[in-house]
Amino acid sequence: MSVKNVKVSASVLNADLSALGEEVGKVERAGASLLHIDVMDGVFVPPMTFGDVVTKSLRKKSSLIFDVHLMVKNPENLIERFAQAGSDMISIHVESDCDVAGTLARIRRPGLKAGLAINPSTPIESVYTYLGLADMFIIMSVNPGYGGQAFIPESTEKIAALRNEAAKRGVPALIEVDGGINENTAPDAVKAGADILVAGTYLFNSSDMSKAVESLKNS
Ligand code: DX5
Ligand code: ZN
């Protein structure tokens, strides 16, 4: 039994997108706390997925915390639109083309939680300067763009390093891990310091989604 209060953020990227409303209902009934909405612009990553219009329509159907992950080249001018669409948290990539500190402040302005995501090949030290400016950090444990990939084991070192740095600076920082999370990889991520686990394929491929969510919460 995990002593930590690990939260599950369900990614619908690999859900049946032709029945997205029902799929969101499924993860909500299964006990996920957050809905992880992977926004892709076809430039920062090759696929194009959901926008603020889809987010707005899902907002009417779900009381989950909307954890919006912007995998877009230029996130700055999307913030207000996703805030108005009903997002609770918006995360941008440190690798995107924007004023990172300014954009994080822009997310916080309407009272949302600001997140900063970092790709597997980007050194963790590059986000230390944003400790205190972001409420949450997303450690990408797969290369962004696709669900169903294998967890990159080195991600646990980045989680631990960020956890240590935040403690050293006395700054609160939620850590979310995104990609390849399942019952085998979740315990390492939680042990290293993760607070929120994003899971997509593991949930949607499971025969009992509630049990799958529970297994992650108890990692
Ligand atoms: C990948 C996305 C992840 C992905 C997670 O670019 O950011 O959120 O959907 O999906 P799984 O759990 O299938 O790795
Ligand atoms: Zn994501």
Side-chain angles (χ1 to χ4, degrees):
M1 179 71 175
S2 163
V3 287
K4 277 186 75 170
N5 179 18
V6 176
K7 296 226 180 308
V8 174
S9 185
S11 163
V12 286
L13 184 63
N14 276 16
D16 173 1
L17 300 185
S18 70
L20 187 53
E22 287 72 25
E23 298 286 82
V24 171
K26 259 193 223 166
V27 300
E28 188 153 5
R29 289 189 297 276
S33 311
L34 305 93
L35 181 68
H36 188 80
I37 300 174
D38 285 311
V39 179
M40 301 180 187
D41 64 357
V43 179
F44 185 76
V45 289
M48 292 176 78
T49 58
F50 322 100
D52 52 316
V53 173
V54 170
T55 303
K56 189 171 180 189
S57 60
L58 290 175
R59 183 72 283 172
K60 295 189 202 103
K61 290 211 165 175
S62 173
S63 55
L64 286 170
I65 295 167
F66 277 18
D67 167 23
V68 173
H69 177 191
L70 296 182
M71 283 162 277
V72 301
K73 190 165 164 34
N74 304 102
E76 272 177 286
N77 298 327
L78 297 176
I79 304 307
E80 284 73 23
R81 284 165 52 177
F82 274 93
Q84 278 147 30
S87 308
D88 297 289
M89 310 160 79
I90 299 178
S91 296
I92 60 172
H93 266 261
V94 70
E95 300 91 357
S96 63
D97 284 0
C98 73
D99 162 13
V100 170
T103 308
L104 292 170
R106 205 163 161 175
I107 297 169
R108 281 179 157 177
R109 207 166 299 141
L112 278 63
K113 292 263 185 256
L116 187 58
I118 173 169
N119 283 337
S121 58
T122 304
I124 191 67
E125 292 78 11
S126 61
V127 298
Y128 287 176
T129 188
Y130 301 110
L131 281 163
L133 301 180
D135 303 286
M136 177 173 85
F137 292 82
I138 303 184
I139 306 290
M140 290 304 296
S141 37
V142 295
N143 286 303
Y146 305 93
Q149 301 177 76
F151 180 86
I152 298 172
E154 290 74 17
S155 312
T156 51
E157 287 146 40
K158 293 174 82 169
I159 299 165
L162 184 60
R163 180 55 71 215
N164 292 337
E165 188 64 22
K168 208 162 85 184
R169 298 182 184 210
V171 173
L174 276 174
I175 297 181
E176 177 172 285
V177 188
D178 186 7
I181 289 290
N182 57 40
E183 76 279 22
N184 302 314
T185 57
D188 291 342
V190 171
K191 204 159 116 224
D195 302 293
I196 304 173
L197 300 172
V198 175
T201 306
Y202 174 56
L203 301 187
F204 285 99
N205 282 3
S206 63
S207 52
D208 181 332
M209 195 185 271
S210 302
K211 268 208 184 115
V213 171
E214 212 43 41
S215 76
L216 297 182
K217 282 181 177 176
N218 295 327
S219 302

